[in-house]
């Protein structure tokens, strides 16, 4: 029996969750995914469908699907059936329950979460079984999606991030002869309005199962509501479905606005797309080109899929006026493109930090530091690839000012020198380090401090953009991704470190 066939072994062969060989399961799934990539590139869609069926019926695929939904952050959030898979026995039984025959998804549990603009975003929470089924079919769909994806699409894709999208923006806008106009695009309710008919006709996945998910509806306040369009936010497969719906826009733009020769001279409209999920920018050589030619083409592309641009968020901007994209502000000053943390993003971060400090007036200093550090570290790491030094210094000062008020409020009768000596200490050359004595000592006798992270201590380092054709499911790119991961972690290549590649 070969490796692919052994992936279809019955779950009855395993009696204990702890006995599962996860390396073997991952190897079996990875091998099938590599074959799906190869068949997709060759245009052998019958072969793709057969391999997808083999993966979704394999024991290895089902086991990994259950593992992923029971190990992620949503493992304690149930659907409408209020069922959780929290024990080894329930997880093992869950593998056996992932059968195509007789499968009928339950409605989604509708909840609402706040958006940055004050509005509420509807979120649909599937049951554990439906999440596992979606994850299982996602394993079969992702290799196809990655092979067909636009080169400069970065949202909800493996090994791609907002840093890659911003770096691509810098690449197409920083040169002296680069485009000077930018169409800032935003799709209105992207997940809510995608045409079911279009998805069922064009998404290369088991359409019987896909239609059941799309038509399952949702429960809100004990009432059932039908879903006639869209793919619910909250489902594990939804981001990939949305990406596949929007893929092809970059190819359409490049073919329509290719470089041409007029009167013996080459004319380049400088149309480039950079997309992250449903947010995107399109560069152009003139405002007229973007408003009269590019925008109508984008609207026609979206209309076919049941979507439309948001009138309030879609605009054309000159690069010298600058624009915000993915929490960064891009603007040319004197011919030089600068990427800095946007004011809106910085304000939202400071509001969050101030809220944490204000809402924890009576907690111990050590506890407050443990609450603040992940927030500060996360924001600083997000912006560490751009021109952020001044922004880091400003947020450090604003946080210090709020903390100083927090300290003075707790000890109103005490003087400023006493308060400083109580809460701020000289550590590693910084005289105003907000730190708490843990009561422990290192081997050399030095005090071990619980100290607050400062954004200004984060080193600024240029991000290296991922190659557009890189496919994490293709074995040919395995060495590239291993080298890239090493470089991102240590800042140098394996060769520079004197380490021989083991991939």
């Amino acid at each position: 029996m070969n490796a692919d066939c052994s992936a279809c072994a019955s779950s009855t062969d395993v009696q204990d969750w702890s006995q599962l060989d996860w390396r073997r399961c991952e190897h079996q799934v990875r091998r099938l995914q590599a074959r799906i990539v190869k068949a997709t590139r060759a245009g052998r869609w019958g072969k793709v469908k057969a391999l997808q069926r083999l993966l979704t019926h394999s024991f290895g695929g089902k086991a990994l699907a259950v593992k992923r939904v029971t190990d992620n952050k949503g493992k304690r959030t149930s659907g409408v059936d209020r069922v959780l898979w929290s024990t080894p026995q329930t997880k093992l039984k869950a593998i056996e329950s992932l059968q195509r025959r007789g499968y009928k998804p339950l409605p989604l549990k509708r909840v609402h979460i706040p958006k940055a603009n004050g509005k509420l975003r509807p979120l649909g929470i599937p049951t554990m079984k439906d999440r596992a089924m979606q994850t299982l079919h996602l394993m079969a769909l992702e290799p196809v999606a990655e092979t067909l994806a636009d080169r400069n699409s970065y949202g909800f894709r493996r090994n791609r991030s907002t840093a890659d999208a911003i770096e691509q923006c810098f690449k197409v806008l920083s040169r002296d002869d680069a485009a000077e106009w930018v169409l800032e695009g935003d799709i209105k309710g992207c997940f809510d309005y995608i045409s079911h008919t279009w998805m069922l006709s064009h998404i290369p996945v088991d359409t019987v199962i896909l239609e059941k998910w799309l038509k399952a509806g949702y429960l809100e306040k004990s009432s059932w509501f039908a879903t006639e369009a869209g793919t619910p936010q909250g489902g594990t497969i939804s981001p990939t479905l949305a990406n596949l719906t929007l893929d092809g826009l970059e190819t359409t733009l490049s073919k329509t606005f290719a470089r041409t020769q007029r009167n013996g001279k080459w004319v380049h409209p400088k149309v480039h797309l950079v997309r992250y999920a449903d947010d995107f920018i399109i560069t152009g050589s003139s405002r007229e080109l973007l408003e009269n030619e590019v925008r109508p083409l984008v609207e026609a592309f979206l209309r076919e899929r049941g979507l439309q641009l948001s009138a309030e968020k879609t605009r054309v901007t000159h690069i010298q006026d600058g624009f915000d994209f993915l929490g960064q502000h891009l603007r040319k000053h004197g011919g030089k493109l600068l990427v800095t943390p946007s004011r809106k993003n910085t304000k939202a971060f400071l509001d969050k930090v101030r809220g944490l400090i204000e809402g924890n007036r009576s907690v111990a200093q050590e506890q407050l530091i443990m609450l603040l550090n992940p927030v500060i570290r996360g924001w600083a790491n997000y912006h560490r690839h751009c021109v952020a030094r001044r922004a880091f210094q400003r947020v450090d000062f604003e946080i210090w000012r709020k903390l100083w008020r927090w300290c003075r409020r707790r000890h109103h009768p005490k003087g400023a020198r006493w308060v400083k000596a109580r809460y701020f200490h000289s550590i590693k050359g910084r005289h105003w380090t907000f730190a708490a004595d843990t009561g422990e000592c290192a081997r050399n006798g030095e005090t071990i401090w619980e100290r607050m992270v400062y954004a200004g201590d984060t080193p600024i380092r240029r991000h290296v953009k991922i190659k557009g054709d890189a496919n994490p499911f293709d074995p040919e790119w395995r060495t590239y991704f291993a080298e890239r991961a090493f470089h991102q972690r240590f800042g140098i290549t394996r060769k520079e470190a004197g380490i021989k590649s083991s991939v």
Side-chain angles (χ1 to χ4, degrees):
M1 183 181 291
N2 60 34
D4 294 339
C5 292
S6 63
C8 303
S10 172
S11 59
T12 56
D13 297 340
V14 181
Q15 301 299 326
D16 190 352
W17 177 260
S18 61
Q19 294 178 358
L20 291 174
D21 187 347
W22 294 113
R23 289 188 64 181
R24 186 184 178 203
C25 291
E26 289 173 358
H27 174 75
Q28 292 166 345
V29 170
R30 193 164 56 242
R31 180 168 176 174
L32 285 169
Q33 289 174 329
R35 293 177 63 189
I36 291 172
V37 169
K38 186 177 180 180
T40 303
R41 284 187 177 152
R44 301 176 62 190
W45 295 107
K47 184 71 171 179
V48 170
K49 186 175 180 180
L51 290 168
Q52 287 180 325
R53 187 182 186 281
L54 185 60
L55 196 157
T56 56
H57 284 71
S58 68
F59 174 70
K62 293 177 182 179
L64 281 177
V66 173
K67 187 176 188 296
R68 289 179 186 177
V69 300
T70 55
D71 285 352
N72 63 16
K73 293 181 180 180
K75 62 184 179 181
R76 294 185 179 90
T77 304
S78 63
V80 294
D81 60 355
R82 300 182 181 179
V83 173
L84 293 176
W85 296 338
S86 54
T87 66
Q89 293 76 19
T90 55
K91 293 176 185 179
L92 204 59
K93 289 182 179 179
I95 298 175
E96 299 178 4
S97 70
L98 301 184
Q99 302 291 335
R100 184 180 187 274
R101 180 176 296 177
Y103 170 67
K104 184 178 180 181
L106 293 175
L108 303 168
K109 182 171 70 174
R110 174 64 65 91
V111 296
H112 296 272
I113 58 175
K115 296 170 65 175
N117 59 7
K119 297 180 180 179
L120 294 176
R121 184 193 304 277
L123 194 67
I125 302 175
T127 63
M128 294 292 288
K129 181 177 179 179
D130 293 335
R131 263 177 271 174
M133 283 292 285
Q134 289 188 22
T135 304
L136 177 61
H137 285 267
L138 178 61
M139 292 179 194
L141 180 61
E142 267 191 310
V144 182
E146 283 294 329
T147 307
L148 301 178
D150 287 342
R151 288 173 53 88
N152 292 302
S153 163
Y154 301 98
F156 302 122
R157 294 180 63 189
R158 290 195 185 188
N159 303 111
R160 283 167 168 78
S161 65
T162 54
D164 292 306
I166 294 297
E167 188 63 26
Q168 178 63 17
C169 292
F170 185 87
K171 181 180 177 181
V172 299
L173 291 169
S174 60
R175 293 178 55 174
D176 293 338
D177 60 347
E180 296 183 346
W181 293 92
V182 177
L183 172 67
E184 303 174 62
D186 183 87
I187 301 171
K188 182 178 180 182
C190 179
F191 283 87
D192 299 328
Y193 298 112
I194 301 175
S195 169
H196 285 180
T197 303
W198 191 93
M199 281 194 286
L200 292 171
S201 301
H202 295 84
I203 302 295
V205 73
D206 189 330
T207 54
V208 174
I209 298 294
L210 177 59
E211 186 173 17
K212 289 181 179 180
W213 288 330
L214 296 177
K215 303 298 184 183
Y218 63 90
L219 283 178
E220 187 173 14
K221 296 180 180 179
S222 302
S223 298
W224 181 82
F225 297 88
T227 47
E228 300 300 332
T231 176
Q233 296 186 60
T236 57
I237 201 172
S238 296
T240 302
L241 294 178
N243 266 339
L244 280 165
T245 303
L246 298 175
D247 282 334
L249 178 58
E250 184 174 9
T251 303
T252 302
L253 289 169
S254 62
K255 288 181 178 179
T256 306
F257 301 100
R259 187 177 67 163
T260 56
Q261 193 171 21
R262 296 178 185 175
N263 300 325
K265 295 182 179 180
W266 286 102
V267 178
H268 200 317
K270 303 175 184 178
V271 175
H272 301 283
L273 169 73
V274 182
R275 179 170 68 85
Y276 189 92
D278 58 341
D279 293 327
F280 63 88
I281 66 155
I282 302 175
T283 65
S285 57
S286 68
R287 174 188 285 274
E288 292 72 21
L289 173 71
L290 292 176
E291 288 183 342
N292 302 330
E293 298 183 50
V294 173
R295 181 165 181 166
L297 186 147
V298 174
E299 289 175 339
F301 178 90
L302 296 176
R303 194 180 306 116
E304 182 185 350
R305 292 152 175 78
L307 302 170
Q308 60 180 338
L309 291 174
S310 171
E312 60 181 14
K313 296 182 180 180
T314 302
R315 62 182 70 88
V316 176
T317 309
H318 195 276
I319 191 61
Q320 290 185 355
D321 296 327
F323 64 95
D324 290 349
F325 186 54
L326 303 176
Q328 313 277 22
H329 184 73
L330 295 91
R331 183 181 179 185
K332 267 193 174 179
H333 300 264
K336 184 176 182 180
L337 181 69
L338 295 181
V339 183
T340 58
S342 70
R343 292 183 179 180
K344 183 178 179 182
N345 181 272
T346 304
K347 181 181 182 301
F349 163 70
L350 287 174
D351 287 345
K352 184 175 182 178
V353 171
R354 290 170 181 144
L356 282 173
I357 297 172
E358 192 71 25
N360 292 276
R361 296 183 179 183
S362 60
V363 301
Q365 182 185 12
E366 188 174 351
Q367 289 180 281
L368 181 62
I369 292 172
M370 292 174 69
L371 288 172
L372 292 175
N373 278 355
V375 178
I376 299 171
R377 187 181 291 112
W379 184 83
N381 285 338
Y382 182 85
H383 293 287
R384 72 185 185 276
H385 304 300
C386 68
V387 185
R389 182 61 60 200
R390 291 181 64 181
F392 285 174
Q393 292 174 348
R394 176 181 169 247
V395 299
D396 282 343
F397 172 74
E398 293 295 336
I399 294 172
W400 171 86
R401 186 162 64 174
K402 189 65 179 179
L403 287 173
W404 181 249
R405 292 175 182 172
W406 180 86
C407 298
R408 293 300 301 271
R409 187 186 296 116
R410 290 162 68 94
H411 304 281
H412 186 66
K414 301 291 185 179
R417 289 188 178 181
W418 186 94
V419 172
K420 178 186 181 300
R422 170 70 174 78
Y423 291 100
F424 296 89
H425 307 276
S426 296
I427 302 175
K428 295 183 179 180
R430 184 189 291 272
H431 299 300
W432 283 81
T433 302
F434 190 69
D437 188 346
T438 62
E440 300 178 6
C441 293
R443 291 182 179 180
N444 58 3
E446 292 185 357
T447 302
I448 297 178
W449 299 94
E450 183 68 45
R451 59 188 294 267
M452 192 184 74
V453 171
Y454 287 87
D457 293 338
T458 304
I460 304 296
R461 189 171 69 188
R462 182 77 176 267
H463 179 76
V464 179
K465 189 181 80 71
I466 192 171
K467 292 183 178 179
D469 294 329
N471 189 333
F473 300 100
D474 189 344
E476 295 180 2
W477 288 95
R478 195 169 296 161
T479 301
Y480 169 78
F481 281 109
E483 295 289 344
R484 179 176 171 81
F486 186 90
H487 183 269
Q488 288 180 327
R489 183 175 181 181
F490 300 105
I492 58 175
T493 63
R494 289 177 182 267
K495 186 177 181 180
E496 291 171 340
I499 301 174
K500 187 176 181 180
S501 178
S502 59
V503 180

